[in-house]
Amino acid sequence: MTNNKHNLKNKIRQMLSAEEWLVCFFSAMPNIFTEELLIWCLSNNLNEKSIKNSITKLLRLGFIDKQSNNEGTCFFTMHERFRHIINNKDELCYVSFCKKLIDYYNYYIALGKEFSKQYYIDKLFYQLTLNDNNEWRQCYQYILEKGDSFECEKLLSIYQKAIQNGNIKLLDWYQYYKIQSKIISDKNFVPQEPALNYSLISNKEFYTYWLNICGILCLKNGNYKKAEDFFAEAHKYAAQNYESYIIQYNICTVYFYKQQYKDAFKLLSKLCDSINTDDLFFLIECKLLLTVINMCMYKLQIALTGFQEVLTLKRMYQKQLRVSKPLYLCKKSPRPLCASIDKNIYNYLGEIYSIQGEYQQAIQYHLKGLQYNKTYGNNLGLAWANNDLGKAYYIYGDIQTAQNYLEESVRLFESSTDKLSKAFPLMEMSYVFQYMGNVERTIALLKESFFLLRKKGAENEMFAVLNNLGRLYQSQGFLNAAEIIFDFCLSRLEKKSSVKHYLGWVHNNLARNYLYLNEYNNAIKHFNMALNIFEEVQEKRGSIYILNNIGETYAKQGKYDDALNLLINSCCQKEKIGDKHAICYSYREIGELYLKLEQTETAYSYINKAFEFCRIGNFGMLEGDIMTSLGNYYLAILSLKDSYDSYSKALQNYKEQHFYSRSLACTKKINTIIQEYNCSDKEYLDESGIYTKLESEQSILIKELQELLNNISK
């Protein structure tokens, strides 16, 4: 050990003259000299002449002033003085001095000693002061791909200190990496294209990187056309290797967000065949996006297999990263930034299981996704994970937990670079409030979501929200207004293969409109169209709902046996997937059908089960219908007071939700009881006032809708 230290000292001593050694000592380079080295330096038989020459040199270089030229003063003022000379690049000794220090670092690092990491950082610093950022970029790339954001920030801080008065080229690269760091860490900044005079850029590599990152900023802003233009321009200048591959991958992300899945799939397939399989970082990125696109093209089994493959590759890559390496060995060829997709693999797996109706498994994967994003500090990913959890929980019947997750998702989106995407949790939250029977809040959330999506340019999702709004107007009895919305959505979505799941729900809602109008053939036609779509895209929940709705239609047509088979089949499948709101709905429908079959006790058992589900789940939206069914049951057994009370409670619920057509139907039932059973103690309710209000409000609503839809068409 002692011999190694002695050899090191001699090596350093040989590199520098006596005068240079003292200059080095008094300049106090950051973290170079341990106390032991300082003591050795002072006792190294330097003669008086050498010391005087060193002091003279320090005076000349401006480290100390003439009034205080003793060694003590030099020691206490050395750091700031050296910074002065370091920032003055006109000094001839500056370059040679830094080069000797770098040689010293290289020798010391090669020995793998205790301070090697700090010495390497100092070495990077002095390389940057000499306008050489090559090794810094290699080190930064490795740390970046490892996901160590803290170490990345430290390296950026070193760069910033080294180029405070540096040349333009190094300063431009610093601006690039600073923007890249903000993008990766999802810091709260405006993701817009930074100002730069492109005509002054002569460095082809930098030009490629800069155009690429401008494309990513536009992508984050939802400006997909401009992003694609930037990537296309960057690809013209990209080297025919990893630069070209990454920019092609980024073009695929544009296709993904524009829902041009076939174009993205074709290009990504070629990329995956071309990538070096040893480059696990980029291979994972490409295979993940390819798998997500398979999922979006409704190839769910292929997607499940693909996600498992990506998880295996991730485990291999993480195993590589766990191998501890000294910092000076952490090098990788620099490359442009990959555009990231918003969600991680666990959330996408959760989505697939939700589509397949396996909500418990979906929730488990979404929780994994939540933890993954917390671990890596990805706030945007956290926002999506909370959104997906909220959606899964309200379908599963836990609306309070759903509301908590969705509110957190809104908060996270508002504090992220993608504020407009809070439209998605707002849309899902509208279902929560609709389930609870708060129609005014539901409509407000849907409208807010709609206009955010319109501003974001998410046209397909915008029509999905509009379709949901039409479904709510339908519940209120505004059937003409609802039909206008459904026809408009159909005209915009029916030719788009990438949004078939949305189209299925539009056909379902239009069919229900025909059902309420007693146009049963048209209802069955559109229910079957919806069923075919849901089976094609493997939307299990949608298929189950359609079976229920066709059963309802058969019941209205008097086809009671066919209706009962479909309603019970649908209910069993709802129980299997755990959709509690839908189960509650089915129990009431089956109960109503048994009333028509004059099996009153069986009918009551189903209606009562629906009532219990409604109470436990806080499904205020269904309460009025269930109370109406109870009223029908009591009327069937001639329990008039109970029937009257049930209808009255139903009427109150309908009024709170502004369900005008249901209020009118319920009012007629109450008046019929009063009339047919001579209830002299009861007063007749006003039917015409409800009908007038329904027609008046629908007229205003249709006018507003036509203005809105005309505006969208323009």
Side-chain angles (χ1 to χ4, degrees):
M1 183 72 175
T2 304
N3 287 337
N4 286 340
K5 285 184 178 180
H6 181 70
N7 291 336
L8 174 62
K9 294 169 188 173
N10 286 338
K11 176 68 177 177
I12 297 169
R13 192 66 186 82
Q14 290 169 9
M15 288 165 53
L16 304 174
S17 68
E19 290 84 356
E20 287 173 326
W21 178 253
L22 275 185
V23 171
C24 185
F25 162 56
F26 286 124
S27 66
M29 303 307 301
N31 301 305
I32 295 175
F33 296 103
T34 65
E35 183 181 357
E36 187 271 337
L37 280 174
L38 292 174
I39 294 170
W40 170 77
C41 174
L42 292 173
S43 62
N44 200 39
N45 299 320
L46 294 173
N47 58 46
E48 184 177 349
K49 183 180 178 182
S50 296
I51 293 173
K52 286 182 178 179
N53 288 340
S54 300
I55 297 298
T56 302
K57 185 176 286 188
L58 289 167
L59 282 165
R60 181 173 60 80
L61 295 177
F63 285 106
I64 57 175
D65 56 51
K66 294 179 181 180
Q67 283 71 36
S68 53
N69 60 352
N70 58 73
E71 295 170 24
T73 302
C74 292
F75 184 79
F76 289 111
T77 61
M78 53 198 170
H79 185 74
E80 187 175 343
R81 302 297 187 186
F82 183 74
R83 287 296 178 207
H84 172 75
I85 194 66
I86 278 296
N87 291 328
N88 187 354
K89 296 192 176 185
D90 294 331
E91 292 287 349
L92 295 176
C93 66
Y94 162 73
V95 174
S96 60
F97 187 67
C98 287
K99 284 181 177 178
K100 285 190 176 183
L101 283 174
I102 290 169
D103 289 339
Y104 158 69
Y105 292 136
N106 283 331
Y107 178 80
Y108 193 88
I109 290 164
L111 296 177
K113 294 298 181 179
E114 182 180 358
F115 296 99
S116 289
K117 180 178 178 180
Q118 183 57 53
Y119 280 35
Y120 183 67
I121 289 173
D122 290 338
K123 173 191 169 183
L124 292 177
F125 175 84
Y126 288 106
Q127 283 177 328
L128 289 166
T129 64
L130 293 174
N131 299 327
D132 179 4
N133 66 2
N134 291 327
E135 194 164 353
W136 183 93
R137 290 179 64 203
Q138 291 169 1
C139 181
Y140 186 87
Q141 187 67 38
Y142 180 90
I143 299 300
L144 177 72
E145 293 185 11
K146 188 177 180 180
D148 191 339
S149 57
F150 179 73
E151 198 68 49
C152 283
E153 288 297 321
K154 283 174 64 178
L155 288 173
L156 269 175
S157 179
I158 292 166
Y159 201 130
Q160 184 181 21
K161 290 175 183 176
I163 54 101
Q164 284 177 348
N165 293 308
N167 67 23
I168 297 299
K169 176 186 172 184
L170 235 62
L171 183 60
D172 285 345
W173 275 113
Y174 171 71
Q175 289 178 322
Y176 167 83
Y177 280 108
K178 189 176 179 182
I179 293 170
Q180 178 176 281
S181 175
K182 287 182 178 180
I183 292 172
I184 293 167
S185 61
D186 192 35
K187 290 181 179 176
N188 193 14
F189 77 111
V190 179
Q192 61 187 17
E193 179 196 347
L196 192 72
N197 189 341
Y198 295 101
S199 63
L200 298 178
I201 299 176
S202 58
N203 185 292
K204 183 178 175 182
E205 182 192 23
F206 179 76
Y207 196 27
T208 304
Y209 278 58
W210 192 265
L211 289 168
N212 178 69
I213 209 159
C214 287
I216 290 174
L217 290 169
C218 291
L219 194 66
K220 280 190 164 289
N221 243 346
N223 194 338
Y224 304 133
K225 177 64 173 67
K226 196 170 183 182
E228 188 174 359
D229 291 342
F230 271 120
F231 292 140
E233 186 69 12
H235 192 249
K236 292 179 184 177
Y237 297 93
Q240 293 302 311
N241 50 22
Y242 56 85
E243 284 185 6
S244 173
Y245 292 158
I246 287 172
I247 292 167
Q248 287 181 71
Y249 166 85
N250 290 346
I251 291 171
C252 289
T253 64
V254 177
Y255 292 155
F256 168 70
Y257 285 114
K258 290 171 68 176
Q259 297 180 339
Q260 297 173 216
Y261 299 133
K262 290 183 179 179
D263 293 333
F265 182 84
K266 184 177 179 182
L267 183 53
L268 270 173
S269 298
K270 290 181 180 178
L271 275 178
C272 287
D273 292 337
S274 305
I275 299 167
N276 186 335
T277 53
D278 292 333
D279 187 1
L280 288 179
F281 178 83
F282 188 48
L283 186 62
I284 288 167
E285 294 290 322
C286 286
K287 284 192 173 291
L288 176 58
L289 182 56
L290 185 65
T291 303
V292 172
I293 288 167
N294 269 320
M295 173 185 157
C296 294
M297 294 169 69
Y298 311 112
K299 300 175 183 177
L300 300 189
Q301 292 307 313
I302 294 174
L304 280 172
T305 303
F307 283 133
Q308 293 303 326
E309 182 185 354
V310 173
L311 282 173
T312 301
L313 290 172
K314 276 182 170 287
R315 284 190 283 269
M316 289 170 58
Y317 185 61
Q318 287 163 356
K319 187 176 180 180
Q320 285 183 5
L321 295 178
R322 281 196 294 270
V323 177
S324 180
K325 288 184 180 181
L327 187 65
Y328 60 88
L329 293 178
C330 298
K331 298 176 186 176
K332 207 160 193 180
S333 295
R335 51 187 172 189
L337 182 64
C338 290
S340 60
I341 51 180
D342 294 330
K343 300 183 184 181
N344 63 58
I345 189 169
Y346 299 111
N347 290 117
Y348 281 117
L349 279 166
E351 279 192 36
I352 289 180
Y353 286 114
S354 284
I355 292 168
Q356 295 180 332
E358 298 179 37
Y359 295 107
Q360 283 186 319
Q361 199 160 358
I363 287 169
Q364 292 307 310
Y365 273 108
H366 287 318
L367 287 170
K368 284 183 180 181
L370 191 71
Q371 187 56 51
Y372 179 91
N373 287 305
K374 282 181 180 177
T375 301
Y376 290 97
N378 183 355
N379 285 338
L380 200 56
L382 276 173
W384 283 111
N386 276 278
N387 174 76
D388 294 341
L389 275 165
K391 182 177 180 180
Y393 270 111
Y394 83 67
I395 292 174
Y396 206 59
D398 188 347
I399 58 176
Q400 185 56 60
T401 301
Q403 185 178 347
N404 294 340
Y405 277 116
L406 292 170
E407 286 175 348
E408 178 64 5
S409 178
V410 170
R411 187 191 69 79
L412 287 165
F413 275 124
E414 284 177 340
S415 62
S416 78
T417 56
D418 189 12
K419 292 177 174 56
L420 295 178
S421 282
K422 73 176 183 179
F424 294 96
L426 289 174
M427 176 178 68
E428 302 300 344
M429 209 184 303
S430 72
Y431 282 108
V432 171
F433 283 97
Q434 186 176 2
Y435 280 11
M436 290 191 291
N438 190 336
V439 171
E440 289 184 1
R441 181 74 173 130
T442 302
I443 292 175
L445 287 167
L446 285 171
K447 286 182 176 179
E448 185 179 0
S449 176
F450 175 84
F451 288 110
L452 284 168
L453 288 167
R454 190 179 180 191
K455 190 174 181 182
K456 186 179 175 69
E459 184 179 271
N460 296 330
E461 289 75 13
M462 185 176 75
F463 294 133
V465 171
L466 195 61
N467 175 57
N468 293 340
L469 189 62
R471 176 72 178 90
L472 192 61
Y473 290 150
Q474 182 186 79
S475 300
Q476 292 180 296
F478 303 137
L479 299 183
N480 293 337
E483 186 175 2
I484 290 170
I485 290 177
F486 301 145
D487 286 341
F488 184 80
C489 290
L490 276 181
S491 68
R492 294 307 182 95
L493 295 175
E494 61 186 354
K495 295 181 181 179
K496 297 185 178 184
S497 60
S498 61
V499 290
K500 287 183 179 178
H501 53 298
Y502 293 150
L503 190 61
W505 290 112
V506 178
H507 278 295
N508 172 72
N509 292 343
L510 182 57
R512 290 197 68 84
N513 229 51
Y514 286 125
L515 178 62
Y516 293 136
L517 292 167
N518 300 324
E519 296 182 25
Y520 302 128
N521 290 335
N522 278 332
I524 293 294
K525 173 187 171 184
H526 283 280
F527 280 139
N528 281 325
M529 292 173 75
L531 183 62
N532 290 335
I533 291 171
F534 286 139
E535 287 177 347
E536 180 184 349
V537 303
Q538 302 175 60
E539 174 74 70
K540 190 167 187 178
R541 180 168 167 249
S543 297
I544 294 170
Y545 279 27
I546 296 299
L547 292 178
N548 182 97
N549 293 341
I550 294 175
E552 277 188 62
T553 310
Y554 285 162
K556 283 182 174 290
Q557 290 177 302
K559 302 175 182 178
Y560 295 145
D561 289 340
D562 291 337
L564 189 60
N565 287 333
L566 284 173
L567 289 175
I568 289 178
N569 181 9
S570 171
C571 185
C572 289
Q573 292 191 56
K574 289 175 182 178
E575 289 172 330
K576 188 175 180 180
I577 68 175
D579 187 340
K580 293 182 178 61
H581 186 271
I583 294 168
C584 181
Y585 186 94
S586 280
Y587 284 160
R588 190 197 71 83
E589 285 293 324
I590 294 170
E592 278 285 340
L593 186 54
Y594 274 117
L595 282 177
K596 291 175 181 177
L597 293 168
E598 298 181 353
Q599 298 181 32
T600 53
E601 294 310 309
T602 305
Y604 178 75
S605 69
Y606 274 101
I607 295 168
N608 193 51
K609 283 198 292 186
F611 180 79
E612 286 301 311
F613 261 74
C614 181
R615 182 182 59 81
I616 294 169
N618 190 25
F619 301 141
M621 179 188 180
L622 299 179
E623 185 180 336
D625 288 346
I626 294 168
M627 296 310 299
T628 297
S629 294
L630 276 172
N632 294 340
Y633 163 74
Y634 287 127
L635 188 62
I637 63 172
L638 298 178
S639 180
L640 300 181
K641 183 180 183 306
D642 289 331
S643 179
Y644 181 90
D645 290 344
S646 295
Y647 287 145
S648 296
K649 289 177 183 177
L651 182 59
Q652 181 61 33
N653 176 270
Y654 291 148
K655 286 180 177 179
E656 289 172 359
Q657 297 188 81
H658 308 291
F659 283 0
Y660 295 111
S661 58
R662 285 180 167 102
S663 294
L664 183 59
C666 200
T667 299
K668 287 180 178 179
K669 287 178 181 290
I670 291 172
N671 287 338
T672 299
I673 291 176
I674 294 171
Q675 181 180 2
E676 292 187 4
Y677 296 97
N678 299 316
C679 301
S680 57
D681 59 327
K682 308 292 183 184
E683 292 185 3
Y684 285 99
L685 302 180
D686 177 28
E687 296 178 18
S688 61
I690 299 172
Y691 181 79
T692 301
K693 192 166 186 180
L694 189 156
E695 291 296 302
S696 173
E697 292 203 11
Q698 179 163 239
S699 177
I700 295 170
L701 181 59
I702 287 174
K703 185 177 180 181
E704 291 175 352
L705 278 174
Q706 286 173 338
E707 288 179 4
L708 174 65
L709 300 183
N710 288 337
N711 190 269
I712 293 172
S713 298
K714 291 176 184 178

